[in-house]
Amino acid sequence: MRPSLRISAILSAMLALCAICSPQTDPKNVPQPPTAELRKFDPFLGKFQVSGDYSNLPWTGTLELKKVIKGCYIEQTILVKTEGIDREFQILATWDKNAQKYRLWGFQTLPIMPDNGGEIRFEADEMITEWLSSRPDGSTAMFSNRYKFVSKGELEILSYRQIGNGPAEKIGLLKGKRQLDTKEASAVKEAELRAAMDERRKASVAGDTETIANSMADDYIQTDIAGYVQNKTSWLKEYFKPLAELIRTGKFHWDTFDEKDIQIHMYGDTAVVIGTLELKGSGARPTPQHSWVADPDAHPNLKLWFTRVYVKRDAKWLLAALHNAVPLSPPSPAK
């Protein structure tokens, strides 16, 4: 073959190869993730603290499911670090469009077997992973895990093994509690705190001494607008119980008891809350002795600025400290 023809043939082959490879190497030719199919994983995404028993061994660790590779795959990572066990498992799952089923690939800190592929399916509210393994004697073993939420944020994983056509044998039970990231955890705590504050406000209006007392820390301390300091016992005895008695007997009632301009600053299991409290009532008045007496002609009307400190103890938000102040009057206009 003449040199010119040989060069032409080589160039033609290279161009043909480029034509074949171009769709694979073109940065703009990116496959779209199987979003609709992978959406079934959404309830199970997140990180969980897991513990339980697997193959008669106690397990403690974490399990995390998240989207990876631009949402094309679901990555599951299991880290087990407990007495006698130090293991890491990683599983990639995706939707096989051609086979019309979900596929799994497993990687772990154990001897890798050639048949490390598996499948996954969804039944009602369960996610089920399955692995078919060949045994040295030529038989097969099917390993399966069934994931299911037994309550909000509480995941249960039941594991089974089936040898050949024999019965499925339960070999493990793990329970996981969803771990929230810092922002999510703070939002949950704030919602809990707001609910506790609303319950206390309703109890204040109703004169419910028991609920009010249970909403306060035992080491509660407060400073009122006159600078008078009271602990939990003295405040209940001197201030709230006399007022609650007037409310329960119908001699006094609050017309307005509104908490506004609320700002909450979370510091883990401690929160600082500032805001305003607008009070309007009928039938009683406060006394210089920091108590209340009945007075049909009295209509107390007051606006307070408050700073409150709440602490979370035994899963419950408690009021630990309070300071009330009366807003300053606006300055007089300059003459």
Side-chain angles (χ1 to χ4, degrees):
M1 181 182 291
R2 289 182 296 177
S4 59
L5 292 176
R6 185 181 296 113
I7 293 172
S8 177
I10 293 173
L11 289 173
S12 297
M14 291 177 66
L15 289 172
L17 181 61
C18 289
I20 294 173
C21 297
S22 179
Q24 301 176 8
T25 58
D26 183 358
K28 297 180 181 179
N29 185 29
V30 178
Q32 296 301 308
T35 305
E37 289 78 11
L38 296 187
R39 192 171 290 128
K40 290 185 177 182
F41 288 90
D42 285 355
F44 300 92
L45 298 181
K47 190 170 185 178
F48 301 83
Q49 186 70 39
V50 296
S51 62
D53 178 276
Y54 186 87
S55 293
N56 297 318
L57 292 173
W59 279 38
T60 302
T62 59
L63 179 152
E64 183 176 15
L65 286 91
K66 62 182 179 180
K67 296 179 181 180
V68 295
I69 314 179
K70 296 191 179 297
C72 291
Y73 293 84
I74 303 296
E75 179 186 72
Q76 179 179 173
T77 303
I78 303 174
L79 301 177
V80 182
K81 196 170 184 66
T82 187
E83 186 176 355
I85 306 175
D86 186 358
R87 296 284 185 262
E88 180 173 349
F89 303 81
Q90 281 199 316
I91 300 170
L92 283 179
T94 194
W95 173 255
D96 187 328
K97 183 178 180 181
N98 294 328
Q100 289 292 293
K101 63 181 180 181
Y102 295 94
R103 291 195 182 277
L104 294 174
W105 295 267
F107 312 91
Q108 55 184 305
T109 51
L110 287 172
I112 300 297
M113 295 184 293
D115 49 355
N116 70 325
E119 296 182 7
I120 188 169
R121 69 179 189 276
F122 295 88
E123 292 182 0
D125 57 352
E126 288 188 318
M127 180 176 74
I128 304 167
T129 61
E130 294 183 335
W131 308 85
L132 185 62
S133 175
S134 298
R135 293 159 60 87
D137 62 3
S139 62
T140 60
M142 175 68 78
F143 294 87
S144 62
N145 302 291
R146 304 182 77 99
Y147 299 66
K148 181 179 181 179
F149 283 100
V150 293
S151 63
K152 186 177 180 181
E154 300 284 343
L155 183 66
E156 183 177 270
I157 307 171
L158 286 169
S159 299
Y160 297 89
R161 176 179 58 200
Q162 183 180 12
I163 307 299
N165 294 321
E169 171 193 8
K170 180 182 171 182
I171 60 172
L173 169 61
L174 298 178
K175 293 187 177 182
K177 184 176 180 61
R178 188 188 296 277
Q179 295 180 322
L180 303 178
D181 61 31
T182 303
K183 186 175 181 180
E184 290 173 326
S186 181
V188 169
K189 288 183 178 181
E190 181 173 328
E192 293 173 346
L193 174 57
R194 287 184 180 274
M197 290 169 54
D198 188 57
E199 181 181 24
R200 180 179 169 85
R201 185 192 66 80
K202 291 177 180 177
S204 297
V205 174
D208 184 346
T209 302
E210 182 178 359
T211 298
I212 289 295
N214 290 336
S215 72
M216 303 165 68
D218 289 338
D219 52 354
Y220 170 86
I221 196 75
Q222 80 155 47
T223 306
D224 70 10
I225 57 175
Y228 184 59
V229 178
Q230 295 167 297
N231 60 21
K232 178 177 179 178
T233 301
S234 61
W235 180 81
L236 287 171
K237 180 181 179 180
E238 297 172 6
Y239 181 91
F240 191 77
K241 288 183 178 180
L243 177 61
E245 180 65 21
L246 293 172
I247 293 174
R248 287 194 300 270
T249 57
K251 296 179 180 179
F252 176 78
H253 66 270
W254 288 113
D255 302 304
T256 301
F257 198 103
D258 292 341
E259 296 175 348
K260 299 180 178 180
D261 308 314
I262 300 296
Q263 297 181 41
I264 298 178
H265 303 271
M266 305 295 301
Y267 304 96
D269 285 343
T270 302
V272 176
V273 182
I274 63 173
T276 60
L277 176 60
E278 294 185 5
L279 299 170
K280 293 181 182 179
S282 300
R285 56 180 172 79
T287 71
Q289 291 74 37
H290 312 280
S291 187
W292 286 82
V293 295
D295 183 346
D297 298 324
H299 299 279
N301 185 347
L302 190 64
K303 181 177 182 179
L304 302 174
W305 281 99
F306 63 78
T307 300
R308 302 172 183 167
V309 178
Y310 283 86
V311 292
K312 191 174 186 181
R313 295 175 180 169
D314 297 326
K316 183 178 181 180
W317 285 103
L318 300 173
L319 183 60
L322 168 67
H323 181 269
N324 285 326
V326 177
L328 294 174
S329 301
S332 302
K335 295 182 179 180

